[in-house]
């Protein structure tokens, strides 16, 4: 595995690859969620590039940029074992210059839900993903459904900017208790680990209601909020179609149910595709 810390080193390393490239961008502190993307990319492409970059432009003032978990040694080992060809770990200076040209999230879809609670987050996310996709030269790039709105916006960016890459959505990986894996789960302490399960439980409750024939969005949200009482603060429960338009009735095959809540230190998100 080649470790590239500069753009130049990445370009040099890419010259050694022949065939299709799969790409998995991450912020590191790798867990089995990341690993499932990496495995799928490994299987579906001749070569595999993974990036680890804690992107400052997608963190808002007061968020956890400085304390975000960083585990370079363990991550490097994981990537090596997973058969990664190039691990790209650039510095901030490599990725950004002063007074940059910026792209922005769309005015509606980029500023609801996560975009409303974290204004500017998606601008920074799209900016870095655009850079990373261009640098990787990948045919296929893998993103988790866990970050459903992010996935929708990246898919839209690729479409709107006629970028030559396939965005591949990957299933959410959970622990045995149902908690969606996240690098931020390490912030959970004591009983918060149990209380954090209320997010996935609320989604399970929603799923059961739908299976029993309930399609009314307000009725489902109300039940979910009951289950979410164990969280400290619920930021939103939303039921949208796959394009992130609000729904009044569940549309089987075209619905995403999303939840964001604080449990102790971390802000957690989870969702269910119906
Ligand atoms: P992050 O390092 O949190 O920026 O995540 C990098 C990629 O891994 C993103 O595409 C995430 O959606 C994806 N990811 C994170 N957690 C999970 C999970 N539990 N299941 C599936 N994909 C995930």
């Amino acid at each position: 595995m080649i470790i590239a810390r500069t753009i130049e080193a990445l370009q040099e390393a890419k010259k050694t690859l022949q065939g299709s490239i799969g790409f998995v961008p991450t912020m590191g502190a790798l867990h089995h969620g990341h690993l499932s993307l990496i495995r799928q990319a490994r299987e579906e492409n001749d070569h595999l590039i993974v990036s680890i970059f804690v992107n400052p432009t997608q963190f808002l003032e007061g968020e956890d940029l400085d304390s975000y978990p960083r585990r370079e040694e363990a991550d490097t080992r994981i990537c090596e074992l997973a058969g990664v060809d190039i691990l790209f770990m650039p510095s901030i200076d490599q990725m950004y210059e002063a007074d940059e040209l910026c792209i922005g999230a769309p005015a509606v879809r980029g500023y609801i839900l996560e975009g409303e609670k974290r204004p500017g987050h998606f601008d920074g996310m799209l900016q870095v993903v655009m850079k990373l996709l261009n640098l990787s030269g990948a045919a296929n790039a893998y993103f988790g459904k866990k970050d459903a709105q992010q996935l929708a916006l990246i898919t839209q960016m690729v479409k709107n900017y006629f970028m030559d890459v396939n965005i591949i959505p990957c299933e959410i990986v959970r622990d045995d208790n149902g908690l969606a894996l996240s690098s931020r789960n390490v912030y959970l302490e004591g009983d918060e680990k149990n209380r954090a399960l209320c997010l996935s439980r609320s989604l399970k409750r929603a799923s059961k209601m739908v299976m029993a024939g309930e399609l009314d969005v307000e009725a489902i949200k109300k039940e979910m909020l009951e289950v979410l009482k164990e969280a400290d603060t619920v930021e939103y429960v939303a039921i949208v179609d796959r394009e992130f338009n609000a729904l009044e009735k569940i549309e089987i095959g075209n619905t995403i149910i999303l939840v964001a809540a604080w449990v102790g230190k971390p802000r957690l998100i989870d969702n269910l595709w119906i």
Side-chain angles (χ1 to χ4, degrees):
M1 183 175 80
I2 299 173
I3 296 177
R5 293 183 188 276
T6 62
I7 309 291
E8 206 185 339
L10 174 65
Q11 306 294 24
E12 272 307 306
K14 268 170 48 188
K15 285 184 194 158
T16 66
L17 309 183
Q18 279 174 348
S20 65
I21 296 175
F23 177 49
V24 180
T26 80
M27 297 207 299
L30 300 180
H31 51 66
H32 282 277
H34 297 115
L35 210 51
S36 71
L37 274 57
I38 291 173
R39 287 208 184 103
Q40 190 175 338
R42 176 69 282 173
E43 274 171 25
E44 295 178 358
N45 300 275
D46 297 321
H47 297 289
L48 173 56
I49 302 179
V50 170
S51 67
I52 296 179
F53 180 62
V54 181
N55 173 42
T57 66
Q58 72 189 66
F59 286 78
L60 273 63
E61 203 63 41
E63 288 190 344
D64 58 344
L65 173 61
D66 294 334
S67 60
Y68 194 84
R70 286 163 171 87
R71 289 202 225 105
E72 197 179 297
E73 229 180 278
D75 288 351
T76 304
R77 186 89 190 107
I78 289 169
C79 288
E80 219 160 23
L81 290 171
V84 173
D85 293 289
I86 303 175
L87 175 56
F88 180 48
M89 294 195 286
S91 64
I92 294 171
D93 290 351
Q94 284 288 311
M95 293 298 287
Y96 288 105
E97 61 176 34
D99 195 22
E100 281 216 355
L101 184 152
C102 292
I103 57 165
V108 178
R109 228 197 272 180
Y111 285 90
I112 54 170
L113 306 176
E114 287 300 290
E116 184 184 356
K117 296 296 174 190
R118 305 180 69 192
H121 163 70
F122 284 134
D123 299 313
M125 180 280 291
L126 290 169
Q127 188 181 13
V128 82
V129 171
M130 163 84 89
K131 286 168 185 272
L132 290 168
L133 289 175
N134 288 341
L135 282 169
S136 73
N140 302 305
Y142 297 78
F143 294 88
K145 288 182 175 179
K146 159 105 186 329
D147 300 281
Q149 200 174 357
Q150 164 175 296
L151 173 60
L153 293 174
I154 291 168
T155 305
Q156 186 180 357
M157 175 178 77
V158 164
K159 179 168 169 257
N160 291 167
Y161 284 84
F162 309 107
M163 294 167 71
D164 196 12
V165 55
N166 298 315
I167 302 301
I168 317 276
C170 302
E171 294 307 320
I172 300 175
V173 178
R174 302 172 178 281
D175 72 10
D176 292 343
N177 296 318
L179 180 68
L181 298 187
S182 161
S183 303
R184 288 188 169 101
N185 289 353
V186 297
Y187 298 148
L188 291 167
E189 290 172 356
D191 82 310
E192 293 162 9
K193 287 181 189 151
N194 267 324
R195 290 196 292 120
L197 301 179
C198 71
L199 277 85
S200 58
R201 256 194 237 125
S202 74
L203 293 168
K204 260 187 221 150
R205 175 78 65 94
S207 154
K208 274 195 185 145
M209 290 177 78
V210 174
M211 282 194 282
E214 179 64 80
L215 297 178
D216 182 68
V217 159
E218 285 313 315
I220 293 170
K221 279 195 201 172
K222 200 167 150 228
E223 280 287 310
M224 288 179 69
L225 285 168
E226 278 300 311
V227 182
L228 287 164
K229 277 184 176 156
E230 277 189 77
D232 294 317
T233 316
V234 178
E235 286 209 333
Y236 61 78
V237 172
I239 302 186
V240 297
D241 69 15
R242 299 277 166 90
E243 310 251 271
F244 278 81
N245 303 303
L247 286 175
E248 282 178 17
K249 296 270 176 217
I250 297 277
E251 295 174 7
I252 307 283
N254 187 35
T255 299
I256 311 177
I257 305 180
L258 305 111
V259 51
W262 291 87
V263 180
K265 197 172 156 219
R267 178 181 183 278
L268 303 172
I269 59 171
D270 200 350
N271 65 72
L272 174 72
W273 297 49
I274 288 192

